[in-house]
Amino acid sequence: MIHNRILILGASGFVGNALYRELDSYFDVYGTYCTQDGLYLDNQVFFKYNAETDSLLKLLDEIKPRYIISTFSSEMEAAMRSHAELISYCELLPMSRILFASSAEVFDARKKFPSYEYDKPLSETNWGRANIALEKLLLEQLPLQTTIFRLPEILGINAPSIMQLRQAIKHNAAFEVYPKRIISVTTAEKIAQQLHYIINKDLIDIFHLASTDVVHHDDIFREIAVRIGDKLPVFKKVFSSNEDEYQAILPKENSLPEAYRITVAEVIESSTLHDEIITLKK
């Protein structure tokens, strides 16, 4: 018997953790971690999993999840093997689903325009090509049980890049920005809400879980820096081109309902809200 259980591969990561917090009150949720033994060793719903050395099949057989959300990263060979194991598990259970976290990097060789759900992926980086290969494997082998959700730059209060920005402000250190790069953005919390909706509606397709508008990379980090600090970090401008280049994915064919969309302005708000509250208290 297959239950409405969810297994989040990479639940200890930034996005995986947001998914766990969002879904845990509504579903029977389990997760994997790789290295944080101190945090998760005695946790009954988190299982240690290293894609380089472990097989997933035993874990899948033990938990018997209906939904498997793949948000972990590993070496390419291990990732292909892990997802092949997911496919062999799900092939026997037609009601099961794989939700795979891909990224805007699958389009990093397409720079003249934003990319939409059904545009052909084209990448010049190892990370982008790896995601393309995994998307292709899942969509070819399990087209009726696979959801691909591609993610843009992820910001928000606790996002790694925002934490790095805070440190750069605090220590008057360098922070790299790309003035010619146009991006879309989101927050981990919004991704979690969107995935919750997709699971509830049992949607199977390709989704771009990104803001409905775009922004220059340097503009958004300057705006956030102005809001969260009394001073600015040393913005180190990095130019890969003299022309504007898009590294932006946008929702178009599979746009979610209004309540599940997000804008650049809302992402900036989410990345600075805590600081504004503290300032008001002062």
Side-chain angles (χ1 to χ4, degrees):
M1 181 184 172
I2 187 164
H3 305 278
N4 269 354
R5 284 182 181 158
I6 295 176
L7 174 61
I8 303 169
L9 300 174
S12 59
F14 177 57
V15 172
N17 200 255
L19 288 170
Y20 183 82
R21 291 196 311 272
E22 168 72 24
L23 299 170
D24 185 46
S25 300
Y26 303 91
F27 299 91
D28 193 8
V29 186
Y30 297 82
T32 68
Y33 69 95
C34 184
T35 56
Q36 303 97 319
D37 283 345
L39 277 175
Y40 300 112
L41 196 56
D42 297 322
N43 189 314
Q44 300 301 303
V45 295
F46 273 63
F47 296 81
K48 184 162 184 168
Y49 171 66
N50 182 333
E52 266 80 33
T53 56
D54 303 334
S55 167
L56 258 181
L57 292 172
K58 186 182 174 192
L59 189 58
L60 292 167
D61 196 46
E62 186 178 337
I63 297 171
K64 294 183 173 56
R66 180 176 177 196
Y67 299 96
I68 301 133
I69 307 175
S70 172
T71 66
F72 74 101
S73 55
S74 68
E75 295 296 325
M76 182 59 191
E77 191 180 329
M80 291 297 280
R81 187 173 61 248
S82 300
H83 288 85
E85 288 180 335
L86 286 184
I87 289 165
S88 65
Y89 168 81
C90 290
E91 276 175 334
L92 302 173
L93 299 162
M95 293 297 288
S96 63
R97 302 284 182 263
I98 299 173
L99 297 97
F100 174 67
S102 188
S103 74
E105 272 88 349
V106 299
F107 298 110
D108 62 28
R110 293 183 175 276
K111 297 174 180 174
K112 290 192 174 181
F113 305 100
S115 296
Y116 301 100
E117 295 94 335
Y118 301 138
D119 288 346
K120 187 175 172 59
L122 187 65
S123 174
E124 56 194 13
T125 61
N126 290 337
W127 178 241
R129 287 177 186 147
N131 274 312
I132 290 171
L134 289 163
E135 284 188 15
K136 190 165 181 268
L137 175 73
L138 292 165
L139 291 170
E140 284 181 357
Q141 299 290 320
L142 279 183
L144 301 180
Q145 290 169 258
T146 292
T147 294
I148 305 289
F149 60 101
R150 298 189 184 121
L151 303 176
E153 179 102 26
I154 304 170
L155 305 178
I157 288 284
N158 298 312
S161 56
I162 299 301
M163 305 292 260
Q164 189 188 340
L165 181 65
R166 287 176 196 280
Q167 288 300 308
I169 292 169
K170 184 178 176 183
H171 300 292
N172 197 31
F175 185 88
E176 287 190 354
V177 289
Y178 299 84
K180 293 295 181 181
R181 182 180 294 175
I182 300 170
I183 60 171
S184 50
V185 289
T186 191
T187 67
E189 289 71 28
K190 182 55 73 172
I191 294 165
Q193 290 167 19
Q194 291 168 326
L195 258 287
H196 193 167
Y197 176 83
I198 286 167
I199 287 169
N200 273 344
K201 298 294 181 184
D202 206 20
L203 302 179
I204 301 159
D205 217 319
I206 298 172
F207 294 88
H208 282 183
L209 302 187
S211 52
T212 52
D213 49 352
V214 297
V215 64
H216 278 90
H217 187 274
D218 62 331
D219 286 343
I220 191 166
F221 281 102
R222 280 179 188 280
E223 172 79 19
I224 292 169
V226 165
R227 291 204 194 189
I228 65 176
D230 299 327
K231 54 185 181 178
L232 294 179
V234 179
F235 282 115
K236 181 184 174 186
K237 295 181 180 180
V238 181
F239 291 91
S240 53
S241 165
N242 293 325
E243 305 291 322
D244 275 347
E245 293 183 337
Y246 283 89
Q247 198 169 316
I249 53 171
L250 289 173
K252 184 182 180 183
E253 305 296 335
N254 294 321
S255 200
L256 297 176
E258 190 74 41
Y260 296 94
R261 297 176 202 165
I262 195 165
T263 62
V264 168
E266 287 169 330
V267 172
I268 293 170
E269 199 72 26
S270 294
S271 302
T272 59
L273 193 60
H274 183 62
D275 299 271
E276 288 174 3
I277 290 166
I278 287 170
T279 309
L280 283 172
K281 282 181 180 174
K282 287 177 182 175

